[in-house]
Amino acid sequence: ASRPEWAKGIEDVVQQQLFEDEINDYELPALKGLLKGFLPTPAVQHTVSEALASGKLDQRRTLALLEAMGEMRNAPWPMKWHESVRLLLVSDDRALQLAAVSAIVNAEESSFADPLVRLADDQDEPSSVRVTAMTGVAKFGRTLSNPGVSLLLAQLDADRPTQRLQAARVLGTATLNDDQLRTVAGRLPKLGALEVAPILACFEQSQ
């Protein structure tokens, strides 16, 4: 089947905005909109593959790409994206690393379960990266380690409600062993309703 006449124009704009030397504050939102709307198309996916593999994307455009990739939930990522994303998982740029983990989790790319397990258990990684990785570990049906559960319990004491809620939601979706369940149960009396409600799901799953 032939493509719509406007398809080539969309591809050209995406390619230009990904590969031009600089992108300004007006062009970046436009790029994000184009990526979210047209990333499922093969031609745009090919352009994205080339951009990721080039190693020349700046942080802002890479973050925009990862955000759009995270919204691709109805189709698996092209295999050419996988190698680039795996490199971002070990990037020294923590913002890109966290965005890559978030994209994997949001897009439900379960083929990355093993790298997420390694990140979740690596105590040298930032807690934000580890907790987000554990979101994927739990979502993909993998087991949380004892150190991982300990980190989540520690996050329940964080000052920011968003951190506490994220940790509670991960615990609630995880499959925990009996010892881990007992440990979590011991913390419940000290928690507020914000944290308790999502955590209770882990006990329902274990029945």
Side-chain angles (χ1 to χ4, degrees), residues 172-195:
T173 58
T175 302
L176 304 179
N177 61 40
D178 289 343
D179 288 339
Q180 291 170 337
L181 287 169
R182 280 192 290 270
T183 301
V184 173
R187 287 293 306 277
L188 293 179
K190 302 178 182 179
L191 301 177
L194 177 72
E195 298 83 29

Side-chain angles (χ1 to χ4, degrees), residues 154-180:
Q155 290 289 298
L156 295 176
D157 295 325
D159 292 333
R160 294 173 57 190
T162 52
Q163 285 180 265
R164 301 198 304 270
L165 185 57
Q166 183 184 22
R169 285 174 172 168
V170 176
L171 287 168
T173 58
T175 302
L176 304 179
N177 61 40
D178 289 343
D179 288 339
Q180 291 170 337

Side-chain angles (χ1 to χ4, degrees), residues 3 7 11 38-49 72 78 81:
R3 295 184 302 164
E11 295 159 22
F38 297 97
L39 195 55
T41 62
V44 172
Q45 288 181 4
H46 177 72
T47 299
V48 167
S49 298
M72 268 190 63
W81 293 3

Side-chain angles (χ1 to χ4, degrees), residues 1-200:
S2 60
R3 295 184 302 164
E5 294 180 359
W6 46 260
K8 182 64 167 62
I10 295 294
E11 295 159 22
D12 289 346
V13 172
V14 171
Q15 185 169 28
Q16 177 184 353
Q17 293 193 347
L18 284 176
F19 286 98
E20 66 184 357
D21 291 339
E22 296 182 3
I23 188 166
N24 61 42
D25 292 339
Y26 299 101
E27 293 171 327
L28 188 63
L31 174 61
K32 289 182 178 181
L34 286 171
L35 290 171
K36 291 179 181 180
F38 297 97
L39 195 55
T41 62
V44 172
Q45 288 181 4
H46 177 72
T47 299
V48 167
S49 298
E50 291 184 331
L52 287 171
S54 72
K56 298 178 180 178
L57 282 181
D58 58 25
Q59 186 195 62
R60 299 171 76 198
R61 279 179 277 203
T62 306
L63 290 173
L65 271 180
L66 291 168
E67 182 180 336
M69 289 163 62
E71 296 189 9
M72 268 190 63
R73 300 183 182 91
N74 298 323
W77 288 349
M79 289 305 300
K80 289 184 178 180
W81 293 3
H82 285 222
E83 183 177 353
S84 297
V85 173
R86 287 178 188 274
L87 290 175
L88 290 173
L89 290 179
V90 295
S91 172
D92 292 331
D93 186 322
R94 296 305 191 186
L96 292 181
Q97 182 189 35
L98 180 58
V101 175
S102 297
I104 290 167
V105 174
N106 292 336
E108 300 181 352
E109 284 287 330
S110 59
S111 61
F112 286 88
D114 286 340
L116 292 191
V117 169
R118 288 193 290 271
L119 280 174
D121 290 341
D122 189 343
Q123 298 185 29
D124 291 330
E125 296 290 351
S127 59
S128 58
V129 170
R130 294 182 64 196
V131 172
T132 305
M134 278 187 267
T135 304
V137 172
K139 179 180 287 189
F140 302 149
R142 304 292 287 272
T143 303
L144 296 183
S145 66
N146 289 336
V149 172
S150 295
L151 174 61
L152 293 173
L153 292 174
Q155 290 289 298
L156 295 176
D157 295 325
D159 292 333
R160 294 173 57 190
T162 52
Q163 285 180 265
R164 301 198 304 270
L165 185 57
Q166 183 184 22
R169 285 174 172 168
V170 176
L171 287 168
T173 58
T175 302
L176 304 179
N177 61 40
D178 289 343
D179 288 339
Q180 291 170 337
L181 287 169
R182 280 192 290 270
T183 301
V184 173
R187 287 293 306 277
L188 293 179
K190 302 178 182 179
L191 301 177
L194 177 72
E195 298 83 29
V196 170
I199 288 176
L200 291 177

